[in-house]
Amino acid sequence: MTEKTVSFVLYVTFLFKFSAAQNNLYNLKYLQLNDLSSFSNPSSNWNIAGALTASYADTALKSSSGTGILLNNFNRSIQYKAGANIFTAFEHGDMYIELDFMMPKGSNSGIYLQSRYEIQLFDSWGIEHPAYSDCGGIYERWDESKPAGKKGYEGHAPLKNAALAPGLWQHLEILFKAPGFDNNGKKIQNASFLKVVLNGIVIHENIILSGPTRASAFEDEKATAPLMIQGDHGMVAFRNIRYAPLDDMHVPVTALNYEYYEGDFEKVEQFAAKHLVRKGTAENIDIRLADAKNNYYLKFTGKIKVPVAEKYHVAMRLTGTGKLEIDGKEVIPATWTWVGGNTLRGDINLAEGEHTFILHCLKNISWADAGLGLFISKPNSKLVALHTLSSLPERPPVPLIQLQAAKEPELLRSFLYHHDKKLTHCISVGNPSGVHYSYNLKQGALLFVWKGDFLNTTDMWYERGEPQIAQPMGATIELPGRFSLVADKSNMPDSVNESDLVYHGYFLGKQRYPSFKYKYINAIITDQFLPYEKGKGLLRKIKVEQGSLSAAATYRLAEGKQIADLGNGLYAINDQSYYLKFEGGTSAKPYVYDAGSKKELLLSAEANEVKYILYW
């Protein structure tokens, strides 16, 4: 019996479609940040802090005492000097890691996998066309022996600039493949960044590294080595560092037999001995054991051997109805799908050793190609395919149908998901400056703001376009999605009654920027958004055109777990997630209201117009 596993690289694309979030596949370990004991001989520029505040204009981060944040207290005396970098006490090979980082204006740092391969951290706010040296870039290699202008090579720019403003917390995820070596220590496989995600945007996939990047701690390559963070270039802070070493897992398939039936049936149970065409032993789980293109049933029985007692995750991809039983337990119930559709999944606790399985595949549709794949994984293991590679064709490519705002603002009505809820009366507005937003017309509420590319409209136009969902294509800032006014500050509802708020449509200004019009109780209100400072921010103007608001009315400007007043009308919202700059329109000043589980930035409704800018 041939035992089959699969290359981690070949199935990395499936791995990330296998789960809605990468880290759901792993038992992540927190890097302890109560003190510096997680690091080897840290230099004096590194310390532990409890909280940070900064504005987008600050060139340093303001820290307070406490724990949970690793801070590089950089100063010019250590710039470009040896000994300022910090190394983890643990060493790693293949690894998934995610973390939050914060940088002040103009700062520079980097994360070196195995102390050798750098993901650049940099203040790249507002950069239109990022280079390898911008935030998220894979830094170039360096060869001093090459002629001037060619010493640097193999740098990789991020696919797009997903960086946020200085002083905001940003999120980075890295899936890293370590270099491979034979028994004699000879390198037989290069290191690679299988996937890098910055602020929710994929910026690299399957980038092969022929050797260490510039300013690495070592010029050689190893199977395992510490993680290094650059400390001699600029101030930087980290929190929520979580990682998972990724183990090789060997799951042999043995005693494999198959039965092949033909017939026009809808259920697995309808096949009987009279429909049997052939049976025998099989080398692999392989859909090609079926002779017909349609109306057949394949049944595999065999054994798998798992290395440790653990909760295992299994997944099937096929065209037709699939079902999986292990040790007599139905792990994946009979479910219909197709190779371009949903993956069938299940979990089971298995003891170390051999287990019997039965795999069912019934194909009774002619419009989709045949295919059958069975995968298994455990926490912190690489995904293992139990089928032969040729049994499962590649997923049919889905074209990207993209709407851009190239020359003038673009407006698109669609459904949108917000806080995991499908909203039906939405509009997204894209601007050539690269700053975009989505708005709930039914509630007069801002849903998302983002930068970069505008909208992915594939689900609106591909095939039947049934979902009618548009998706922002940049790193989104998700807003609360509530109307900006409340009639009575003693009652702060999550939504506005339709009888109180009536949508009156929108009108376009000279540059095609829309203003949204509402009747709110006794007042006519317009709500307008304009790109600000060459796309670095979004200006919002709320104006009472007719009528008046009650004396108890209040503007609801923002909400979050924390709201920090940074002075001069600037506020950091939701633990440094984005900034709000109050621009006036009234003599009243915003104030932070403690609503229990959250904070709200409120403003008494004394004026007919209020203006503020969102920066991120």
Side-chain angles (χ1 to χ4, degrees):
M1 182 66 58
T2 303
E3 299 172 356
K4 292 292 182 181
T5 57
V6 68
S7 162
F8 189 35
V9 177
L10 287 175
Y11 279 91
V12 69
T13 301
F14 178 74
L15 174 69
F16 281 91
K17 294 179 180 177
F18 188 59
S19 173
Q22 296 177 35
N23 56 28
N24 287 348
L25 293 169
Y26 312 127
N27 286 337
L28 295 172
K29 301 178 182 179
Y30 270 97
L31 193 69
Q32 185 274 123
L33 294 178
N34 293 323
D35 52 37
L36 292 173
S37 60
S38 295
F39 304 93
S40 299
N41 301 316
S43 52
S44 60
N45 52 299
W46 294 95
N47 69 315
I48 299 297
L52 299 174
T53 57
S55 80
Y56 52 80
D58 291 335
T59 56
L61 305 175
K62 304 177 185 68
S63 64
S64 59
S65 60
T67 62
I69 295 174
L70 174 67
L71 176 64
N72 177 25
N73 268 319
F74 172 83
N75 61 70
R76 295 296 174 185
S77 67
I78 64 171
Q79 188 171 29
Y80 308 138
K81 292 186 178 178
N85 300 334
I86 193 169
F87 298 82
T88 58
F90 75 85
E91 295 191 353
H92 72 89
D94 300 346
M95 181 174 69
Y96 169 82
I97 184 170
E98 63 174 45
L99 52 85
D100 300 328
F101 70 94
M102 181 190 292
M103 310 185 77
K105 181 179 179 180
S107 194
N108 183 348
S109 183
I111 295 174
Y112 288 76
L113 280 296
Q114 295 194 321
S115 308
R116 291 163 170 83
Y117 316 101
E118 182 185 11
I119 297 293
Q120 171 82 333
L121 302 182
F122 195 76
D123 171 21
S124 298
W125 190 37
I127 298 294
E128 186 174 356
H129 301 293
Y132 70 86
S133 54
D134 280 302
C135 194
I138 298 172
Y139 212 81
E140 65 182 3
R141 301 194 64 202
W142 191 262
D143 187 344
E144 196 63 48
S145 66
K146 291 188 175 184
K150 296 184 178 181
K151 297 180 186 295
Y153 61 102
E154 291 187 10
H156 298 272
L159 293 173
K160 59 183 66 177
N161 185 8
L164 302 181
L168 298 180
W169 283 111
Q170 307 192 56
H171 189 68
L172 181 66
E173 303 169 59
I174 301 170
L175 184 62
F176 174 75
K177 180 81 171 83
F181 300 87
D182 64 17
N183 294 333
N184 296 318
K186 179 183 178 182
K187 189 174 81 167
I188 55 175
Q189 186 178 48
N190 285 323
S192 57
F193 287 108
L194 298 178
K195 184 164 282 195
V196 181
V197 181
L198 177 60
N199 296 320
I201 301 299
V202 176
I203 57 173
H204 297 291
E205 282 191 287
N206 297 324
I207 302 297
I208 296 173
L209 307 162
S210 64
T213 57
R214 191 178 187 187
S216 62
F218 309 98
E219 290 302 317
D220 64 346
E221 294 182 279
K222 298 287 187 181
T224 63
L227 184 77
M228 181 184 86
I229 302 173
Q230 194 173 57
D232 65 341
H233 278 48
M235 181 172 275
V236 65
F238 300 89
R239 69 178 185 185
N240 297 331
I241 303 173
R242 304 193 299 167
Y243 66 99
L246 300 181
D247 306 323
D248 286 311
M249 184 173 68
H250 187 53
V251 182
V253 177
T254 58
L256 186 64
N257 294 279
Y258 78 98
E259 298 173 12
Y260 171 60
Y261 301 79
E262 290 184 353
D264 186 8
F265 299 100
E266 294 183 358
K267 297 181 179 180
V268 168
E269 294 79 8
Q270 291 177 320
F271 282 91
K274 64 180 180 179
H275 304 114
L276 180 65
V277 176
R278 186 175 63 255
K279 66 179 181 179
T281 60
E283 290 191 1
N284 309 294
I285 296 172
D286 191 345
I287 196 66
R288 295 176 302 170
L289 288 170
D291 300 327
K293 291 185 177 181
N294 196 38
N295 294 330
Y296 63 80
Y297 163 54
L298 264 174
K299 177 182 178 182
F300 291 94
T301 59
K303 294 183 179 181
I304 55 172
K305 186 176 182 180
V306 297
V308 294
E310 184 60 89
K311 184 176 183 179
Y312 287 83
H313 191 82
V314 291
M316 288 177 65
R317 280 181 55 203
L318 77 159
T319 293
T321 298
K323 180 179 176 181
L324 177 66
E325 302 165 71
I326 299 179
D327 293 340
K329 180 180 179 181
E330 188 176 74
V331 182
I332 298 177
T335 309
W336 183 90
T337 185
W338 61 291
V339 290
N342 294 329
T343 299
L344 310 183
R345 302 168 185 164
D347 296 293
I348 184 171
N349 290 307
L350 297 176
E352 178 184 350
E354 284 193 335
H355 299 270
T356 300
F357 73 91
I358 304 175
L359 175 63
H360 308 263
C361 174
L362 166 64
K363 186 175 187 295
N364 57 0
I365 56 170
S366 58
W367 55 265
D369 292 334
L372 175 62
L374 180 62
F375 302 84
I376 189 168
S377 68
K378 65 178 179 64
N380 299 347
S381 80
K382 300 172 186 177
L383 192 66
V384 175
L386 303 178
H387 59 278
T388 187
L389 185 62
S390 54
S391 180
L392 185 64
E394 292 291 328
R395 284 182 182 265
V398 176
L400 172 63
I401 303 175
Q402 181 179 0
L403 179 62
Q404 290 283 33
K407 296 181 179 179
E408 60 183 7
E410 292 284 350
L411 287 73
L412 182 73
R413 294 284 298 270
S414 73
F415 298 163
L416 285 169
Y417 275 105
H418 180 261
H419 292 339
D420 295 324
K421 183 179 180 181
K422 189 175 185 179
L423 303 179
T424 57
H425 293 67
C426 301
I427 189 169
S428 298
V429 181
N431 295 297
S433 63
V435 58
H436 320 297
Y437 66 93
S438 293
Y439 190 82
N440 184 354
L441 294 169
K442 207 169 186 179
Q443 284 287 307
L446 189 60
L447 302 174
F448 303 101
V449 294
W450 71 97
K451 295 173 185 170
D453 294 330
F454 182 33
L455 279 180
N456 179 350
T457 59
T458 305
D459 284 342
M460 298 180 66
W461 302 110
Y462 181 64
E463 293 187 337
R464 297 180 183 179
E466 291 173 345
Q468 286 297 296
I469 298 293
Q471 300 176 28
M473 293 192 67
T476 56
I477 303 298
E478 189 168 9
L479 286 305
R482 309 193 203 287
F483 188 53
S484 57
L485 277 163
V486 289
D488 186 347
K489 59 186 176 184
S490 65
N491 179 25
M492 307 287 279
D494 288 339
S495 60
V496 183
N497 294 328
E498 291 186 16
S499 59
D500 292 336
L501 183 68
V502 180
Y503 175 51
H504 281 196
Y506 64 84
F507 59 90
L508 299 179
K510 292 182 180 179
Q511 295 179 300
R512 292 194 80 242
Y513 295 123
S515 294
F516 305 100
K517 191 173 184 179
Y518 292 88
K519 182 179 185 295
Y520 181 54
I521 307 178
N522 296 317
I524 301 297
I525 296 167
T526 57
D527 197 1
Q528 184 183 33
F529 302 86
L530 299 170
Y532 192 80
E533 202 175 331
K534 297 182 179 179
K536 281 193 170 181
L538 187 68
L539 172 65
R540 186 176 195 178
K541 297 180 181 180
I542 305 168
K543 188 174 183 179
V544 179
E545 301 284 353
Q546 299 175 31
S548 61
L549 302 170
S550 70
T554 300
Y555 290 102
R556 183 186 257 169
L557 304 183
E559 69 177 63
K561 291 182 179 179
Q562 296 89 22
I563 298 179
D565 185 349
L566 303 179
N568 298 319
L570 184 65
Y571 299 85
I573 311 299
N574 204 19
D575 189 22
Q576 301 285 146
S577 293
Y578 66 96
Y579 299 108
L580 186 148
K581 180 72 166 63
F582 181 65
E583 287 291 290
T586 173
S587 59
K589 301 297 181 186
Y591 62 97
V592 178
Y593 171 72
D594 189 343
S597 61
K598 63 183 178 182
K599 302 289 193 298
E600 293 187 317
L601 186 64
L602 305 179
L603 176 70
S604 298
E606 299 177 359
N608 286 339
E609 185 178 44
V610 171
K611 296 186 291 185
Y612 61 85
I613 303 161
L614 299 178
Y615 289 111
W616 67 95

